[in-house]
Amino acid sequence: MSLFEFTFGLSAVILGLALAHMASTVSKLAMAGRRVRWAPEPLLLAAMIVLVIVSVWLFQWDARTRTETTVGLMLMQVLKLVLPFMAATFVLPDPVPEEGPVDLYAHYDRTRALTFGVLILGLMAFWTVSMVEWATGVATDRGPMTVAGALSTLPWGFCVIYGLLIVVRRRWFNVGLLVVALAYYGWEVLPIRLGE
């Protein structure tokens, strides 16, 4: 068994559970039928989280040529994967109540700070792991590390967008920004090809 196969198993479990949780919650909401008051905000955010999880899962492929790692890097890897998992658990109401109405917008409004907060932390965790790999020579394709180079890779754009979505409560603003963010992220990620 290669190092990649050994370590990828843990990534697959964490991210697979996140997708399974979201699918289970959507099916429970569908079974609740007319009791559910649907809203675009949590559905757009859920779609973006699915895209994030799938892309993170697929980008693990880049580590297939590594022949060694450390426990510290593995712990950082687990932390950066647990954060999208947490976003997946926050985005839709779970458990779905057996009786009474289920208001998805009310849930979005109540949990948006948690969801976008862990997405921001996730971006920073991914950036931190990337910087540690760069600084320790694990990522050899980047050349020498510089302060300007490190700062230029900070995920400012999405951090600002997520921060705005935490503090601005106007629905039209949230829907519009979520549509733009989902379209942009999809445009960036969906055409990427994977291969040997």
Side-chain angles (χ1 to χ4, degrees), residues 4 61 64-65 193-196:
F4 174 71
W61 184 249
R64 72 190 178 283
T65 58
R193 294 178 183 269
L194 298 172
E196 287 290 332

Side-chain angles (χ1 to χ4, degrees), residues 20-41:
H21 176 82
M22 290 181 74
S24 173
T25 304
V26 168
S27 68
K28 289 174 189 170
L29 288 169
M31 293 295 290
R34 295 183 181 202
R35 292 189 301 116
V36 178
R37 182 174 170 221
W38 296 92
E41 296 92 339

Side-chain angles (χ1 to χ4, degrees), residues 49-63:
I49 290 171
V50 166
L51 234 134
V52 166
I53 290 169
V54 170
S55 65
V56 165
W57 194 335
L58 293 174
F59 290 150
Q60 300 297 310
W61 184 249
D62 290 342

Side-chain angles (χ1 to χ4, degrees), residues 134-153:
W134 192 4
T136 58
V138 173
T140 56
D141 58 335
R142 298 186 199 169
M145 186 176 196
T146 64
V147 173
L151 292 176
S152 71
T153 63

Side-chain angles (χ1 to χ4, degrees), residues 51-117:
L51 234 134
V52 166
I53 290 169
V54 170
S55 65
V56 165
W57 194 335
L58 293 174
F59 290 150
Q60 300 297 310
W61 184 249
D62 290 342
R64 72 190 178 283
T65 58
R66 294 191 185 157
T67 56
E68 63 180 39
T69 190
T70 65
V71 173
L73 278 173
M74 281 308 300
L75 286 172
M76 292 175 76
Q77 174 75 3
V78 168
L79 173 65
K80 80 176 192 179
L81 297 177
V82 165
L83 292 165
F85 174 89
M86 291 174 67
T89 64
F90 293 147
V91 70
L92 296 169
D94 185 49
V96 175
E98 296 285 331
E99 298 176 1
V102 181
D103 187 337
L104 290 188
Y105 176 73
H107 175 79
Y108 170 82
D109 195 44
R110 185 174 63 255
T111 61
R112 80 161 120 216
L114 291 171
T115 310
F116 291 117

Side-chain angles (χ1 to χ4, degrees), residues 37-46 48-49 87 90-93 102-116 119 161-179:
R37 182 174 170 221
W38 296 92
E41 296 92 339
L43 299 177
L44 289 165
L45 182 53
M48 192 159 63
I49 290 171
F90 293 147
V91 70
L92 296 169
V102 181
D103 187 337
L104 290 188
Y105 176 73
H107 175 79
Y108 170 82
D109 195 44
R110 185 174 63 255
T111 61
R112 80 161 120 216
L114 291 171
T115 310
F116 291 117
L119 287 173
I161 289 171
Y162 294 156
L164 287 171
L165 288 165
I166 290 172
V167 297
V168 178
R169 297 186 67 172
R170 297 199 183 277
R171 290 193 71 179
W172 63 266
F173 181 84
N174 276 253
V175 170
L177 204 48
L178 283 167
V179 166

